Amino acid sequence: MKKSVLISIFILLFLTIFTQTSDAYIVNFKEEYYKLYHVHYQQYPDDCIENIYWLEKAAAADYCNPQFCGIHITSEKQWEKYRYLFQMHINLKLIEQHLRLGRVYDKKNIYFYDAPFKDEYLQNLQQTLDCYKTAVYYWQEAKLWCEKANNSSFNFLYITERQYWEDERERISTGELDYEKILNREIKRVEKNIEELKSMDKTY
């Protein structure tokens, strides 16, 4: 066999072995979607939008089998509380991401010299307002799941492998964590800034 033929066969084998594409990894379950959520040190709007997408997918997805959920589940009651806490936690993360995204477009203070740019500022502030109002919806959802996780049937039952979820539940229950108060304050401020911009008619 000629040397050129051997080289051609070798190259063909090499390409066949090392260019095989692996099967796509299909994401089906809540836990899998949640793993795609991540926070960058410096988070840009596209990062927030990506995270919101994955978190919303996680919120809507089914739970995986308890033996694959990432913690040691030993009873149906523990599994039930885990599900309530997880859904509460996802909604809290959706609030955080909407707050981060809203702050990108937020204009904290309005000055008289903003008049020439008021249309651009108004557009940005409307995006901020939409983000904050959407976060209010997720806060209502988080409180609902927190209430379910606080049921008396779970007394003395703690998901210790997800202690930070338990901490979030406790902080909501005691009122230490109250996004409604924060969001309503921010919404009121943004609406005031929008009205102030709309009333401007001078240019500088």
Side-chain angles (χ1 to χ4, degrees):
M1 192 178 287
K2 292 182 179 180
K3 187 177 179 180
S4 60
V5 174
L6 286 172
I7 292 172
S8 298
I9 292 172
F10 176 78
I11 291 172
L12 184 60
L13 284 171
F14 179 85
L15 292 173
T16 302
I17 293 169
F18 293 99
T19 61
Q20 290 289 330
T21 56
S22 60
D23 293 334
Y25 177 72
I26 299 174
V27 178
N28 289 317
F29 300 109
K30 192 178 297 289
E31 290 82 358
E32 294 171 327
Y33 280 115
Y34 182 71
K35 285 180 181 178
L36 297 172
Y37 155 78
H38 55 284
V39 177
H40 300 276
Y41 176 72
Q42 187 169 357
Q43 200 162 5
Y44 296 101
D46 285 350
D47 300 318
C48 292
I49 292 167
E50 179 189 354
N51 275 336
I52 288 169
Y53 175 80
W54 293 128
L55 288 168
E56 286 181 342
K57 284 284 191 181
D62 291 330
Y63 294 89
C64 70
N65 186 287
Q67 62 184 322
F68 304 121
C69 71
I71 68 170
H72 186 55
I73 299 290
T74 58
S75 69
E76 289 187 19
K77 209 67 187 170
Q78 190 182 20
W79 174 237
E80 183 183 1
K81 187 176 185 184
Y82 163 85
R83 298 197 312 269
Y84 295 157
L85 288 175
F86 196 1
Q87 198 71 2
M88 176 201 73
H89 176 71
I90 288 172
N91 279 282
L92 290 176
K93 291 302 173 186
L94 278 162
I95 294 168
E96 289 178 10
Q97 290 302 304
H98 279 85
L99 280 169
R100 283 175 179 264
L101 185 59
R103 286 174 185 145
V104 171
Y105 305 103
D106 200 349
K107 182 167 173 55
K108 298 289 186 181
N109 299 298
I110 305 299
Y111 302 99
F112 71 94
Y113 48 75
D114 291 328
F117 318 104
K118 75 174 187 177
D119 290 339
E120 290 82 358
Y121 287 139
L122 282 170
Q123 185 177 356
N124 285 346
L125 284 174
Q126 188 58 54
Q127 289 180 280
T128 297
L129 192 60
D130 291 342
C131 287
Y132 293 168
K133 286 185 174 181
T134 302
V136 172
Y137 165 78
Y138 289 116
W139 173 245
Q140 299 303 323
E141 288 291 302
K143 286 198 300 181
L144 174 66
W145 292 106
C146 175
E147 185 178 342
K148 288 178 180 288
N150 273 335
N151 190 284
S152 58
S153 65
F154 297 122
N155 285 350
F156 308 109
L157 173 61
Y158 300 100
I159 311 296
T160 55
E161 290 180 69
R162 293 292 183 268
Q163 185 59 49
Y164 56 101
W165 295 359
E166 292 280 12
D167 293 343
E168 289 171 343
R169 175 195 56 76
E170 184 66 19
R171 291 178 65 214
I172 293 172
S173 302
T174 60
E176 182 184 348
L177 178 59
D178 187 355
Y179 273 120
E180 187 169 5
K181 182 178 179 181
I182 296 167
L183 289 165
N184 285 339
R185 181 187 67 223
E186 293 300 292
I187 288 170
K188 185 176 180 180
R189 176 186 57 77
V190 172
E191 288 177 337
K192 179 177 178 292
N193 286 350
I194 287 173
E195 290 307 312
E196 189 173 346
L197 278 168
K198 284 181 177 178
S199 66
M200 289 182 173
D201 57 1
K202 293 182 180 180
T203 56
Y204 296 92

PDB file of all heavy atoms in Angstrom, residues 107-115 121 125 189-190 192-198 200:
ATOM      1  N   LYS A 107     -32.880  56.229  36.752  1.00  0.00           N
ATOM      2  CA  LYS A 107     -32.271  57.541  36.951  1.00  0.00           C
ATOM      3  C   LYS A 107     -32.738  58.033  38.312  1.00  0.00           C
ATOM      4  O   LYS A 107     -33.898  58.388  38.487  1.00  0.00           O
ATOM      5  CB  LYS A 107     -32.660  58.522  35.841  1.00  0.00           C
ATOM      6  CG  LYS A 107     -32.018  59.894  35.985  1.00  0.00           C
ATOM      7  CD  LYS A 107     -32.180  60.711  34.734  1.00  0.00           C
ATOM      8  CE  LYS A 107     -31.686  62.150  34.941  1.00  0.00           C
ATOM      9  NZ  LYS A 107     -30.283  62.199  35.419  1.00  0.00           N
ATOM     10  N   LYS A 108     -31.826  58.014  39.260  1.00  0.00           N
ATOM     11  CA  LYS A 108     -32.202  58.277  40.645  1.00  0.00           C
ATOM     12  C   LYS A 108     -32.722  59.689  40.857  1.00  0.00           C
ATOM     13  O   LYS A 108     -33.671  59.916  41.603  1.00  0.00           O
ATOM     14  CB  LYS A 108     -30.993  58.039  41.562  1.00  0.00           C
ATOM     15  CG  LYS A 108     -30.460  56.620  41.547  1.00  0.00           C
ATOM     16  CD  LYS A 108     -31.415  55.672  42.238  1.00  0.00           C
ATOM     17  CE  LYS A 108     -30.825  54.276  42.347  1.00  0.00           C
ATOM     18  NZ  LYS A 108     -31.748  53.326  43.003  1.00  0.00           N
ATOM     19  N   ASN A 109     -32.061  60.639  40.209  1.00  0.00           N
ATOM     20  CA  ASN A 109     -32.421  62.051  40.422  1.00  0.00           C
ATOM     21  C   ASN A 109     -32.679  62.753  39.094  1.00  0.00           C
ATOM     22  O   ASN A 109     -32.038  62.450  38.087  1.00  0.00           O
ATOM     23  CB  ASN A 109     -31.292  62.775  41.172  1.00  0.00           C
ATOM     24  CG  ASN A 109     -31.031  62.166  42.534  1.00  0.00           C
ATOM     25  OD1 ASN A 109     -31.894  62.165  43.399  1.00  0.00           O
ATOM     26  ND2 ASN A 109     -29.834  61.625  42.717  1.00  0.00           N
ATOM     27  N   ILE A 110     -33.609  63.681  39.114  1.00  0.00           N
ATOM     28  CA  ILE A 110     -33.944  64.473  37.932  1.00  0.00           C
ATOM     29  C   ILE A 110     -33.460  65.906  38.148  1.00  0.00           C
ATOM     30  O   ILE A 110     -33.732  66.503  39.193  1.00  0.00           O
ATOM     31  CB  ILE A 110     -35.474  64.478  37.689  1.00  0.00           C
ATOM     32  CG1 ILE A 110     -36.002  63.037  37.604  1.00  0.00           C
ATOM     33  CG2 ILE A 110     -35.807  65.262  36.416  1.00  0.00           C
ATOM     34  CD1 ILE A 110     -35.416  62.208  36.493  1.00  0.00           C
ATOM     35  N   TYR A 111     -32.746  66.433  37.139  1.00  0.00           N
ATOM     36  CA  TYR A 111     -32.223  67.794  37.226  1.00  0.00           C
ATOM     37  C   TYR A 111     -32.819  68.647  36.100  1.00  0.00           C
ATOM     38  O   TYR A 111     -33.257  68.108  35.073  1.00  0.00           O
ATOM     39  CB  TYR A 111     -30.696  67.791  37.128  1.00  0.00           C
ATOM     40  CG  TYR A 111     -30.040  66.952  38.210  1.00  0.00           C
ATOM     41  CD1 TYR A 111     -29.618  65.654  37.946  1.00  0.00           C
ATOM     42  CD2 TYR A 111     -29.869  67.459  39.495  1.00  0.00           C
ATOM     43  CE1 TYR A 111     -29.020  64.876  38.938  1.00  0.00           C
ATOM     44  CE2 TYR A 111     -29.265  66.696  40.489  1.00  0.00           C
ATOM     45  CZ  TYR A 111     -28.848  65.404  40.212  1.00  0.00           C
ATOM     46  OH  TYR A 111     -28.277  64.646  41.195  1.00  0.00           O
ATOM     47  N   PHE A 112     -32.788  69.950  36.269  1.00  0.00           N
ATOM     48  CA  PHE A 112     -33.401  70.849  35.289  1.00  0.00           C
ATOM     49  C   PHE A 112     -32.757  70.705  33.913  1.00  0.00           C
ATOM     50  O   PHE A 112     -33.415  70.868  32.888  1.00  0.00           O
ATOM     51  CB  PHE A 112     -33.309  72.309  35.780  1.00  0.00           C
ATOM     52  CG  PHE A 112     -31.913  72.879  35.747  1.00  0.00           C
ATOM     53  CD1 PHE A 112     -31.461  73.607  34.639  1.00  0.00           C
ATOM     54  CD2 PHE A 112     -31.039  72.683  36.807  1.00  0.00           C
ATOM     55  CE1 PHE A 112     -30.183  74.139  34.610  1.00  0.00           C
ATOM     56  CE2 PHE A 112     -29.755  73.204  36.769  1.00  0.00           C
ATOM     57  CZ  PHE A 112     -29.323  73.933  35.685  1.00  0.00           C
ATOM     58  N   TYR A 113     -31.464  70.365  33.889  1.00  0.00           N
ATOM     59  CA  TYR A 113     -30.760  70.254  32.602  1.00  0.00           C
ATOM     60  C   TYR A 113     -31.005  68.915  31.898  1.00  0.00           C
ATOM     61  O   TYR A 113     -30.427  68.643  30.852  1.00  0.00           O
ATOM     62  CB  TYR A 113     -29.255  70.481  32.789  1.00  0.00           C
ATOM     63  CG  TYR A 113     -28.623  69.703  33.915  1.00  0.00           C
ATOM     64  CD1 TYR A 113     -28.375  68.335  33.796  1.00  0.00           C
ATOM     65  CD2 TYR A 113     -28.270  70.336  35.105  1.00  0.00           C
ATOM     66  CE1 TYR A 113     -27.800  67.626  34.823  1.00  0.00           C
ATOM     67  CE2 TYR A 113     -27.692  69.635  36.143  1.00  0.00           C
ATOM     68  CZ  TYR A 113     -27.455  68.273  36.008  1.00  0.00           C
ATOM     69  OH  TYR A 113     -26.889  67.564  37.035  1.00  0.00           O
ATOM     70  N   ASP A 114     -31.868  68.067  32.467  1.00  0.00           N
ATOM     71  CA  ASP A 114     -32.230  66.805  31.821  1.00  0.00           C
ATOM     72  C   ASP A 114     -33.301  66.992  30.746  1.00  0.00           C
ATOM     73  O   ASP A 114     -33.597  66.053  30.001  1.00  0.00           O
ATOM     74  CB  ASP A 114     -32.763  65.802  32.862  1.00  0.00           C
ATOM     75  CG  ASP A 114     -31.669  65.331  33.804  1.00  0.00           C
ATOM     76  OD1 ASP A 114     -30.508  65.245  33.359  1.00  0.00           O
ATOM     77  OD2 ASP A 114     -31.987  65.032  34.972  1.00  0.00           O
ATOM     78  N   ALA A 115     -33.867  68.188  30.668  1.00  0.00           N
ATOM     79  CA  ALA A 115     -34.997  68.436  29.762  1.00  0.00           C
ATOM     80  C   ALA A 115     -34.735  68.020  28.309  1.00  0.00           C
ATOM     81  O   ALA A 115     -35.602  67.389  27.696  1.00  0.00           O
ATOM     82  CB  ALA A 115     -35.414  69.902  29.838  1.00  0.00           C
ATOM     83  N   TYR A 121     -34.779  59.491  28.768  1.00  0.00           N
ATOM     84  CA  TYR A 121     -34.897  59.163  30.194  1.00  0.00           C
ATOM     85  C   TYR A 121     -36.253  58.536  30.505  1.00  0.00           C
ATOM     86  O   TYR A 121     -36.348  57.596  31.312  1.00  0.00           O
ATOM     87  CB  TYR A 121     -34.685  60.411  31.051  1.00  0.00           C
ATOM     88  CG  TYR A 121     -33.248  60.881  31.118  1.00  0.00           C
ATOM     89  CD1 TYR A 121     -32.930  62.224  31.063  1.00  0.00           C
ATOM     90  CD2 TYR A 121     -32.203  59.964  31.253  1.00  0.00           C
ATOM     91  CE1 TYR A 121     -31.615  62.666  31.127  1.00  0.00           C
ATOM     92  CE2 TYR A 121     -30.881  60.390  31.317  1.00  0.00           C
ATOM     93  CZ  TYR A 121     -30.592  61.744  31.255  1.00  0.00           C
ATOM     94  OH  TYR A 121     -29.286  62.160  31.320  1.00  0.00           O
ATOM     95  N   LEU A 125     -36.806  54.977  32.219  1.00  0.00           N
ATOM     96  CA  LEU A 125     -37.532  54.873  33.481  1.00  0.00           C
ATOM     97  C   LEU A 125     -38.750  53.965  33.358  1.00  0.00           C
ATOM     98  O   LEU A 125     -39.134  53.301  34.326  1.00  0.00           O
ATOM     99  CB  LEU A 125     -37.946  56.256  33.975  1.00  0.00           C
ATOM    100  CG  LEU A 125     -36.823  57.093  34.591  1.00  0.00           C
ATOM    101  CD1 LEU A 125     -37.298  58.503  34.904  1.00  0.00           C
ATOM    102  CD2 LEU A 125     -36.292  56.427  35.870  1.00  0.00           C
ATOM    103  N   ARG A 189     -40.902  56.315  43.777  1.00  0.00           N
ATOM    104  CA  ARG A 189     -39.862  57.269  43.376  1.00  0.00           C
ATOM    105  C   ARG A 189     -39.764  57.361  41.854  1.00  0.00           C
ATOM    106  O   ARG A 189     -39.681  58.472  41.303  1.00  0.00           O
ATOM    107  CB  ARG A 189     -38.515  56.835  43.958  1.00  0.00           C
ATOM    108  CG  ARG A 189     -37.343  57.721  43.521  1.00  0.00           C
ATOM    109  CD  ARG A 189     -36.021  57.161  44.005  1.00  0.00           C
ATOM    110  NE  ARG A 189     -35.787  55.801  43.554  1.00  0.00           N
ATOM    111  CZ  ARG A 189     -35.401  55.476  42.320  1.00  0.00           C
ATOM    112  NH1 ARG A 189     -35.223  56.430  41.401  1.00  0.00           N
ATOM    113  NH2 ARG A 189     -35.192  54.222  41.987  1.00  0.00           N
ATOM    114  N   VAL A 190     -39.776  56.224  41.175  1.00  0.00           N
ATOM    115  CA  VAL A 190     -39.672  56.227  39.713  1.00  0.00           C
ATOM    116  C   VAL A 190     -40.877  56.922  39.082  1.00  0.00           C
ATOM    117  O   VAL A 190     -40.723  57.713  38.139  1.00  0.00           O
ATOM    118  CB  VAL A 190     -39.537  54.779  39.174  1.00  0.00           C
ATOM    119  CG1 VAL A 190     -39.617  54.750  37.652  1.00  0.00           C
ATOM    120  CG2 VAL A 190     -38.221  54.157  39.632  1.00  0.00           C
ATOM    121  N   LYS A 192     -42.651  59.253  40.386  1.00  0.00           N
ATOM    122  CA  LYS A 192     -42.472  60.694  40.647  1.00  0.00           C
ATOM    123  C   LYS A 192     -41.486  61.295  39.651  1.00  0.00           C
ATOM    124  O   LYS A 192     -41.711  62.394  39.108  1.00  0.00           O
ATOM    125  CB  LYS A 192     -41.972  60.896  42.078  1.00  0.00           C
ATOM    126  CG  LYS A 192     -41.732  62.350  42.469  1.00  0.00           C
ATOM    127  CD  LYS A 192     -41.320  62.448  43.935  1.00  0.00           C
ATOM    128  CE  LYS A 192     -41.028  63.882  44.327  1.00  0.00           C
ATOM    129  NZ  LYS A 192     -39.805  64.397  43.662  1.00  0.00           N
ATOM    130  N   ASN A 193     -40.387  60.578  39.377  1.00  0.00           N
ATOM    131  CA  ASN A 193     -39.392  61.062  38.411  1.00  0.00           C
ATOM    132  C   ASN A 193     -39.967  61.129  36.999  1.00  0.00           C
ATOM    133  O   ASN A 193     -39.650  62.044  36.228  1.00  0.00           O
ATOM    134  CB  ASN A 193     -38.158  60.163  38.431  1.00  0.00           C
ATOM    135  CG  ASN A 193     -37.306  60.378  39.667  1.00  0.00           C
ATOM    136  OD1 ASN A 193     -37.525  61.330  40.419  1.00  0.00           O
ATOM    137  ND2 ASN A 193     -36.338  59.505  39.888  1.00  0.00           N
ATOM    138  N   ILE A 194     -40.809  60.185  36.648  1.00  0.00           N
ATOM    139  CA  ILE A 194     -41.457  60.190  35.329  1.00  0.00           C
ATOM    140  C   ILE A 194     -42.353  61.410  35.180  1.00  0.00           C
ATOM    141  O   ILE A 194     -42.319  62.102  34.154  1.00  0.00           O
ATOM    142  CB  ILE A 194     -42.266  58.885  35.125  1.00  0.00           C
ATOM    143  CG1 ILE A 194     -41.308  57.702  34.901  1.00  0.00           C
ATOM    144  CG2 ILE A 194     -43.229  59.016  33.946  1.00  0.00           C
ATOM    145  CD1 ILE A 194     -41.993  56.347  34.845  1.00  0.00           C
ATOM    146  N   GLU A 195     -43.126  61.688  36.209  1.00  0.00           N
ATOM    147  CA  GLU A 195     -44.023  62.848  36.159  1.00  0.00           C
ATOM    148  C   GLU A 195     -43.220  64.147  36.088  1.00  0.00           C
ATOM    149  O   GLU A 195     -43.604  65.085  35.373  1.00  0.00           O
ATOM    150  CB  GLU A 195     -44.946  62.851  37.383  1.00  0.00           C
ATOM    151  CG  GLU A 195     -45.995  61.757  37.378  1.00  0.00           C
ATOM    152  CD  GLU A 195     -46.820  61.752  36.097  1.00  0.00           C
ATOM    153  OE1 GLU A 195     -47.291  62.829  35.680  1.00  0.00           O
ATOM    154  OE2 GLU A 195     -46.962  60.672  35.496  1.00  0.00           O
ATOM    155  N   GLU A 196     -42.118  64.198  36.806  1.00  0.00           N
ATOM    156  CA  GLU A 196     -41.278  65.395  36.786  1.00  0.00           C
ATOM    157  C   GLU A 196     -40.673  65.612  35.397  1.00  0.00           C
ATOM    158  O   GLU A 196     -40.624  66.746  34.896  1.00  0.00           O
ATOM    159  CB  GLU A 196     -40.170  65.259  37.837  1.00  0.00           C
ATOM    160  CG  GLU A 196     -39.384  66.545  38.049  1.00  0.00           C
ATOM    161  CD  GLU A 196     -38.399  66.447  39.204  1.00  0.00           C
ATOM    162  OE1 GLU A 196     -38.519  65.493  39.993  1.00  0.00           O
ATOM    163  OE2 GLU A 196     -37.519  67.324  39.300  1.00  0.00           O
ATOM    164  N   LEU A 197     -40.236  64.543  34.754  1.00  0.00           N
ATOM    165  CA  LEU A 197     -39.684  64.655  33.405  1.00  0.00           C
ATOM    166  C   LEU A 197     -40.756  65.076  32.406  1.00  0.00           C
ATOM    167  O   LEU A 197     -40.511  65.907  31.522  1.00  0.00           O
ATOM    168  CB  LEU A 197     -39.072  63.321  32.980  1.00  0.00           C
ATOM    169  CG  LEU A 197     -37.660  63.022  33.468  1.00  0.00           C
ATOM    170  CD1 LEU A 197     -37.308  61.564  33.212  1.00  0.00           C
ATOM    171  CD2 LEU A 197     -36.638  63.939  32.789  1.00  0.00           C
ATOM    172  N   LYS A 198     -41.930  64.505  32.530  1.00  0.00           N
ATOM    173  CA  LYS A 198     -43.021  64.838  31.614  1.00  0.00           C
ATOM    174  C   LYS A 198     -43.406  66.316  31.689  1.00  0.00           C
ATOM    175  O   LYS A 198     -43.857  66.903  30.696  1.00  0.00           O
ATOM    176  CB  LYS A 198     -44.246  63.977  31.916  1.00  0.00           C
ATOM    177  CG  LYS A 198     -44.128  62.540  31.423  1.00  0.00           C
ATOM    178  CD  LYS A 198     -45.393  61.766  31.732  1.00  0.00           C
ATOM    179  CE  LYS A 198     -45.334  60.341  31.183  1.00  0.00           C
ATOM    180  NZ  LYS A 198     -46.546  59.566  31.515  1.00  0.00           N
ATOM    181  N   MET A 200     -41.440  68.809  32.125  1.00  0.00           N
ATOM    182  CA  MET A 200     -40.397  69.701  31.623  1.00  0.00           C
ATOM    183  C   MET A 200     -40.710  70.155  30.200  1.00  0.00           C
ATOM    184  O   MET A 200     -41.104  69.351  29.353  1.00  0.00           O
ATOM    185  CB  MET A 200     -39.032  68.987  31.630  1.00  0.00           C
ATOM    186  CG  MET A 200     -38.459  68.767  32.987  1.00  0.00           C
ATOM    187  SD  MET A 200     -36.833  67.961  32.874  1.00  0.00           S
ATOM    188  CE  MET A 200     -36.314  68.041  34.586  1.00  0.00           C
TER     189      MET A 200
END
